[in-house]
Amino acid sequence: MKTRISLISAAALLALALPALAEGTVDTSSWNQGGGEQDEALHLTPNHENGIEVYEVCSACHQLNGWGLEDGTFPQIAGQHKDVIIKQLADIRALNRDNPTMYPFALPSEIGGAQSIADVAEYISKLPMNPNNGKGPGTNLALGEQLYKDNCVRCHGAEGEGDDAKFYPRIQGQHFNYLMRQYEWIKTGKRRNANPDMVQQIQGFTDADTEAVLDYVSRLKPPAELVAAPDWVNPDFE
């Protein structure tokens, strides 16, 4: 518990030191630079036991099950593609993605080097997903479905399954409120490692469009074999 409290305190302090991007500026040059820890971790053999140990640090925010919080403060990461997790962790550590809250937790001094990235990414990818993620209001799902089919399927797949090989994340089963926040950050350029094709594609979306399509996405269901029972508790931390 003391370790988690100290990490949270560090997060508040280090957040002040991180570079900020001006609102409204769209800089997508860091979308997928590769190299460094990303490339190294992608080619390492994961160690399951170390993955458990590293994940204990992550669980302070993402919860022991990896299900995050329905209010969207922290996303569900359980079941996310391994290579997507590796990319995002490496980007945060290299400051290609601004995440002041997570940055202190992801530092090599806290979780280790590229091997630990590979280990925890594999571990998280195998966690069963939340069967009851946070949903949107459900008021304009027909529009949301059409927008999704017209704009999102090419990368995220018909069911929101994503594509690990291309670093497109799984978005099925994600909390609506988290989707809304990330969408705004992608659109305005605050999330600098977003795919530039997506940044450009969503510029014309109205607020109503955004809510409708992400409401629809929040209702896309992962395959049954990836989903936990509602009362599932991570046995690695019992």
Side-chain angles (χ1 to χ4, degrees), residues 154-229:
R154 181 171 64 87
C155 294
H156 290 291
E159 302 299 326
E161 68 272 17
D163 188 329
D164 198 27
K166 296 180 179 179
F167 301 101
Y168 299 149
R170 183 188 304 280
I171 56 175
Q172 56 190 188
Q174 188 56 265
H175 301 300
F176 171 74
N177 288 325
Y178 177 76
L179 291 168
M180 287 285 289
R181 186 172 75 253
Q182 291 302 307
Y183 194 97
E184 177 186 355
W185 288 359
I186 290 170
K187 188 174 183 179
T188 62
K190 184 175 181 178
R191 179 163 171 169
R192 293 184 293 114
N193 73 338
N195 187 331
D197 290 341
M198 180 176 178
V199 177
Q200 181 178 3
Q201 191 163 19
I202 66 177
Q203 291 306 309
F205 278 37
T206 65
D207 290 347
D209 292 338
T210 298
E211 180 174 288
V213 72
L214 297 181
D215 191 352
Y216 175 77
V217 169
S218 74
R219 297 163 195 278
L220 293 173
K221 297 184 181 299
E225 63 269 20
L226 299 184
V227 179

Side-chain angles (χ1 to χ4, degrees), residues 49-172:
E49 293 305 314
N50 189 51
I52 295 174
E53 185 174 340
V54 173
Y55 185 72
E56 189 169 8
V57 177
C58 310
S59 70
C61 295
H62 293 286
Q63 312 298 300
L64 292 174
N65 287 0
W67 292 357
L69 296 176
E70 187 173 334
D71 68 4
T73 306
F74 304 109
Q76 167 165 229
I77 55 175
Q80 185 56 265
H81 297 300
K82 176 179 69 70
D83 291 357
V84 169
I85 298 170
I86 287 174
K87 169 179 162 49
Q88 295 303 320
L89 267 172
D91 278 353
I92 289 168
R93 281 159 65 118
L95 296 178
N96 294 331
R97 174 181 172 182
D98 300 316
N99 192 325
T101 301
M102 185 171 168
Y103 180 73
F105 292 78
L107 288 171
S109 59
E110 297 298 336
I111 66 171
Q115 182 66 58
S116 289
I117 292 179
D119 298 344
V120 76
E122 174 75 9
Y123 179 77
I124 292 168
S125 72
K126 301 299 183 185
L127 288 173
M129 298 176 70
N130 185 352
N132 297 307
N133 64 291
K135 310 293 197 303
T139 53
N140 206 354
L141 294 177
L143 173 62
E145 180 178 12
Q146 191 60 54
L147 287 168
Y148 185 82
K149 289 179 177 178
D150 291 345
N151 296 276
C152 311
V153 168
R154 181 171 64 87
C155 294
H156 290 291
E159 302 299 326
E161 68 272 17
D163 188 329
D164 198 27
K166 296 180 179 179
F167 301 101
Y168 299 149
R170 183 188 304 280
I171 56 175
Q172 56 190 188

Side-chain angles (χ1 to χ4, degrees), residues 2-18 57 99-107 109-110:
K2 290 182 179 179
T3 300
R4 291 182 183 177
I5 291 172
S6 66
L7 283 169
I8 292 170
S9 299
L13 293 172
L14 286 172
L16 300 176
L18 294 180
V57 177
N99 192 325
T101 301
M102 185 171 168
Y103 180 73
F105 292 78
L107 288 171
S109 59
E110 297 298 336

Side-chain angles (χ1 to χ4, degrees), residues 12-48:
L13 293 172
L14 286 172
L16 300 176
L18 294 180
L21 190 72
E23 289 295 329
T25 302
V26 178
D27 175 8
T28 57
S29 60
S30 299
W31 144 241
N32 195 14
Q33 291 182 340
E37 287 189 312
Q38 176 177 321
D39 286 357
E40 186 178 352
L42 287 171
H43 294 94
L44 292 171
T45 301
N47 179 297
H48 180 74

